[in-house]
Amino acid sequence: MKAARAKAAGGGAVVLRAGPVTAQLERRTLAVTLVLAVAGLLLGIVGLCRGDEWDSPATALSALAGHGDSVLVVREWRLPRVAAALVFGAALGAAGAVFQNVTRNPLGSPDVIGLDAGAYTGVLVAITVFGGSAAGLATGSVAGGVLTAAAVYALSLGSGVGGLRLVVVGIAANAMLTAVNAWIILRADLDVAIAATGWQAGSLNGLDWAELRFPFLLCGAFLALLAVLSRALHQATLGDEVAASSGVHLNRLRLLAVLAGVGCTAAVTSASGPIVFVALAAPQIGRRLAGAPGVPLLPAALTGALLLSAADIAAQTVLAPVQLPVGVVTTAIGGTYLIWLLIKEVRRP
């Protein structure tokens, strides 16, 4: 069979050949997926052990099963936080993979092109105008993210979604929306302004099941949609002509994928505030681990869950007993990664 040439989302031409090479890539992707899933499970157990004092894994698992003196602490305090780190990390990783596949640019992630800031604008409007229910915050976040995505796309039409122009327009939109968000906070009541400023850092502190039910429902729905679209998205990474010849409707695929990516980002933002750099770093780390062309969704989602869980444990530990917002840790790590990525992109011929 003929080789199919594709430009991977990380850049560079990649040649896929049918037969042994493809089978080897699939086995490697499966192995990496299993390792990441096990690592995420282990980090989840570590998170259940982390509190004011460390509990043993046996104590934490026993409490999770409903036995012992720590049932309330583990089930109602620690488990929501652990679940949020895993689910939100997976949602951010998958969203980053979508946008990096669509733009075919490793900088094309929701936090770089302004979608996080737009979703946060929607949350601030929902808080200051319509009140602060979980459903209202999620609706405002999704609306803000969708409107931002539409504006960025419209302003970058001159070079298509795959061009560097979209990233540049997104960075400009991010800067403008950050200024708008600051203005909204300054105009808000003092209590709202204090809460919004702390939330802006991105935090999993104090989350409970009541605050997580609706965002989890949204994340589950959008991740399920991406799972349905994953095969077609993989075909699209081989090039538009190859994808079209295999029956993929590219315009519809990209629209649905972008809506799902925006929905995942907005659902996370509505519950925890904007958590940056996970969507930027996780897809590229997952792609390199899997050795796959394009940016595969499942390794990206599992890597995102792993990164956010590790960052949240670090946020609870670095200055214990003070708990840092997890966004502070992801920003510290992601800023270094972004500098490295920018240097690599500039040096690429």
Side-chain angles (χ1 to χ4, degrees), residues 198-219:
W199 196 18
Q200 190 173 12
S203 177
L204 302 180
N205 298 341
L207 289 177
D208 57 30
W209 291 120
E211 296 171 301
L212 291 175
R213 288 191 186 98
F214 195 69
F216 275 10
L217 179 64
L218 287 179
C219 286

Side-chain angles (χ1 to χ4, degrees), residues 110-124 141 144-145 148 170-171 173-181 184 200 265 269 274 276:
D111 41 357
V112 173
I113 62 177
L115 301 188
D116 276 10
Y120 185 57
T121 303
V123 168
L124 290 177
S141 183
T148 302
I171 291 173
N174 187 43
M176 290 188 290
L177 286 169
T178 299
V180 170
N181 293 341
I184 293 175
Q200 190 173 12
T265 303
T269 304
V276 298

Side-chain angles (χ1 to χ4, degrees), residues 136-160:
L137 294 181
T139 302
S141 183
V142 172
V146 168
L147 290 174
T148 302
V152 171
Y153 176 78
L155 292 171
S156 61
L157 277 178
S159 60

